[in-house]
Amino acid sequence: APLGTTVMRVTAFDADDPATDNALLRYNIRQQTPDKPSPNMFYIDPEKGDIVTVVSPALLDRETLENPKYELIIEAQDMAGLDVGLTGTATATIMIDDKNDHSPKFTKKEFQATVEEGAVGVIVNLTVEDKDDPTTGAWRAAYTIINGNPGQSFEIHTNPQTNEGMLSVIKPLDYEISAFHTLLIKVENEDPLVPDVSYGPSSTATVHITVLDVNEGPVFYPDPMMVTRQENISVGSVLLTVNATDPDSLQHQTIRYSVYKDPAGWLNINPINGTVDTMAVLDRESPFVHNSVYTALFLAIDSGNPPATGTGTLLITLEDVNDNAPFIYPTVAEVCDDAKNLSVVILGASDKDLHPNTDPFKFEIHKQAVPDKVWKISKINNTHALVSLLQNLNKANYNLPVMVTDSGKPPMTNITDLRVQVCSCKNSKVDCNAAGALRTSVTFVLLISLFSLVCKL
């Protein structure tokens, strides 16, 4: 602080009559502790009680003082300070506060660091010295990379405990692109320097970083790989040839391929040239296929020591083929033997395939040979039909072969027996136990006979 800077004002009170000298006070400094670098660091105005500095600013240097705290014993004496006056004392404590009059300086001009390619994290701690108070912003350091970081692969943060600069790799480095990096780092304080102090050459340092070569895994391109094929293509069909390259271009390694994940066991890969072909029929309706896409993973393994592995994803979009016949539901129905409404059941049909290989469905009674035309099936919409009776039937169980055909080209057909239970419905009681033998259409009997004959052959 400049000479003559007011530090504080002390005030004493006297209970005597203020109009007399009995209450006329004068102040003086009785003692200063410590008494270095000068026993008279401060002066007190005898009438006002203002304490001011009386030494040059160079002597009020916190960094050179043995103790930045001074204690002054202040005496107040009445009777205008005459020896006959009464006195009182108090202690004034003065702390020499810090100003940012010392710039931080690196402990050396150059730092060295090594890092493996592909790694991230702190690679070196940069040390600095600062004579200012460690509890203030005049000491705390702030680091900046001012050159050598165009790809923003590095960043630096301050360790709050040690004030060191922690230099980190935040984007993995590639040995094949550059094996060496040189950074220029600047350090400043959080608080601005006093006007007559500036940052000098010691506030910058150079960091030399050496990147160590690491055997990296091969990389598939593209990834994911995508192909589109019809389901049910013939076994042995070639889907594609995968391509993986080794980032370690300076090592001239070879690559071998293998299947990593093939949930349905459909695929094979040539270990040398990467050609992928089928060893089973691809089925879009498989539980391993999701939204018509089958996912498989492949490995590319280089010849390094130890070898490194890369993983590639293959997405096979399977186009639908009409390879699933439709099916009906429900397959059991009940009707009263004296029902006035001869509607039996509304049948629905479903198909695992996609349009246009599904609805509209065609519903028919298969090869009905009953002369009296007992059954009737009527279309309701593209997916449903109504089965009804043309006359009441006796209480019994009947099997009605229903044929449903999809709209694929060529279409697929399925025949399912609809079991119709004709029940006795009297006095609000329903009895569906068969009253007689199972009644079937002539066609059903012929089918059973044909099936038996084939089994015997």
Side-chain angles (χ1 to χ4, degrees):
L3 185 147
T5 299
T6 299
V7 179
M8 69 171 78
R9 170 176 287 185
V10 296
T11 304
F13 296 92
D14 193 308
D16 291 317
D17 185 352
T20 67
D21 288 346
N22 294 333
L24 184 60
L25 303 179
R26 293 290 182 267
Y27 302 95
N28 70 87
I29 299 174
R30 291 280 302 273
Q31 182 179 339
Q32 171 192 300
T33 306
D35 60 358
K36 296 178 180 179
S38 168
N40 299 305
M41 301 283 289
F42 305 94
Y43 166 77
I44 189 168
D45 186 303
E47 295 183 2
K48 298 179 181 178
D50 289 340
I51 300 175
V52 298
T53 61
V54 290
V55 293
S56 69
L59 292 182
L60 285 176
D61 186 354
R62 191 198 64 86
E63 285 76 37
T64 61
L65 296 175
E66 292 183 4
N67 189 338
K69 180 173 76 171
Y70 286 89
E71 290 186 345
L72 306 179
I73 296 178
I74 308 299
E75 179 184 74
Q77 187 173 23
D78 60 16
M79 298 297 293
L82 296 177
D83 292 340
V84 295
L86 302 178
T87 62
T89 60
T91 300
T93 301
I94 301 172
M95 300 294 300
I96 309 301
D97 287 336
D98 189 32
K99 276 191 174 181
N100 193 12
D101 56 351
H102 293 85
S103 63
K105 300 178 190 242
F106 283 102
T107 56
K108 51 186 178 180
K109 288 298 295 180
E110 295 185 347
F111 294 84
Q112 306 292 330
T114 58
V115 59
E116 291 184 347
E117 65 172 329
V120 295
V122 177
I123 58 173
V124 66
N125 291 315
L126 310 183
T127 52
V128 295
E129 293 177 344
D130 194 317
K131 295 180 180 180
D132 291 310
D133 186 351
T135 63
T136 66
W139 177 82
R140 290 190 292 270
Y143 297 86
T144 307
I145 302 173
I146 59 177
N147 196 12
N149 192 28
Q152 304 301 309
S153 298
F154 304 91
E155 70 178 12
I156 188 166
H157 295 286
T158 304
N159 185 320
Q161 280 74 42
T162 65
N163 219 27
E164 294 176 340
M166 301 182 296
L167 180 64
S168 302
V169 176
I170 58 173
K171 291 182 181 179
L173 305 176
D174 191 338
Y175 172 85
E176 283 71 32
I177 295 177
S178 178
F180 301 97
H181 297 266
T182 301
L183 304 181
L184 185 61
I185 311 292
K186 176 178 70 174
V187 62
E188 297 177 318
N189 289 131
E190 290 183 2
D191 291 348
L193 295 171
V194 296
D196 55 341
V197 177
S198 61
Y199 294 104
S202 296
S203 294
T204 60
T206 302
V207 183
H208 300 285
I209 302 162
T210 301
V211 183
L212 304 178
D213 191 19
V214 173
N215 188 24
E216 301 171 88
V219 178
F220 283 85
Y221 181 82
D223 190 26
M225 301 160 280
M226 294 181 283
V227 296
T228 300
R229 293 290 185 276
Q230 278 194 340
E231 63 172 333
N232 297 343
I233 59 175
S234 58
V235 174
S237 297
V238 174
L239 299 179
L240 80 164
T241 298
V242 302
N243 179 39
T245 57
D246 193 340
D248 301 301
S249 56
L250 302 179
Q251 299 184 24
H252 306 291
Q253 299 181 123
T254 59
I255 295 176
R256 293 182 64 86
Y257 300 96
S258 64
V259 177
Y260 179 41
K261 287 186 179 180
D262 177 19
W266 290 342
L267 306 177
N268 176 67
I269 189 169
N270 185 302
I272 305 300
N273 61 26
T275 298
V276 179
D277 57 12
T278 62
M279 61 180 186
V281 175
L282 308 184
D283 182 10
R284 192 198 67 83
E285 291 75 35
S286 166
F288 298 107
V289 176
H290 303 285
N291 296 324
S292 299
V293 177
Y294 181 70
T295 302
L297 301 179
F298 296 94
L299 298 180
I301 307 167
D302 67 23
S303 57
N305 186 20
T309 302
T311 304
T313 302
L314 172 61
L315 303 177
I316 306 173
T317 300
L318 294 174
E319 296 178 338
D320 189 39
V321 172
N322 193 23
D323 57 348
N324 289 275
F327 56 90
I328 65 168
Y329 57 90
T331 57
V332 177
E334 296 179 355
V335 65
C336 294
D337 57 359
D338 58 352
K340 294 181 180 180
N341 181 1
L342 296 180
S343 297
V344 176
V345 66
I346 294 177
L347 293 180
S350 184
D351 195 315
K352 293 182 180 180
D353 294 314
L354 300 176
H355 287 286
N357 296 321
T358 55
D359 60 88
F361 299 113
K362 180 181 179 182
F363 296 86
E364 300 174 275
I365 297 174
H366 181 55
K367 298 181 181 179
Q368 183 175 0
V370 180
D372 52 3
K373 300 289 185 181
V374 175
W375 305 96
K376 180 183 178 182
I377 191 163
S378 307
K379 178 180 177 180
I380 297 177
N381 54 32
N382 288 345
T383 58
H384 290 78
L386 173 65
V387 176
S388 57
L389 287 168
L390 299 177
Q391 64 183 50
N392 290 110
L393 296 178
N394 294 328
K395 177 182 175 183
N397 291 336
Y398 296 83
N399 280 344
L400 177 66
V402 176
M403 182 170 67
V404 60
T405 305
D406 63 26
S407 296
K409 294 181 180 180
M412 294 198 72
T413 297
N414 186 25
I415 300 173
T416 304
D417 281 337
L418 173 65
R419 185 184 181 192
V420 180
Q421 295 176 300
V422 179
C423 308
S424 175
C425 307
K426 295 181 180 179
N427 300 324
S428 301
K429 293 183 180 180
V430 179
D431 180 10
C432 293
N433 293 325
L438 182 68
R439 311 215 176 175
T440 63
S441 69
V442 174
T443 301
F444 180 78
V445 174
L446 288 175
L447 288 173
I448 294 296
S449 300
L450 181 59
F451 178 80
S452 300
L453 181 59
V454 171
C455 289
K456 289 178 182 180
L457 293 175

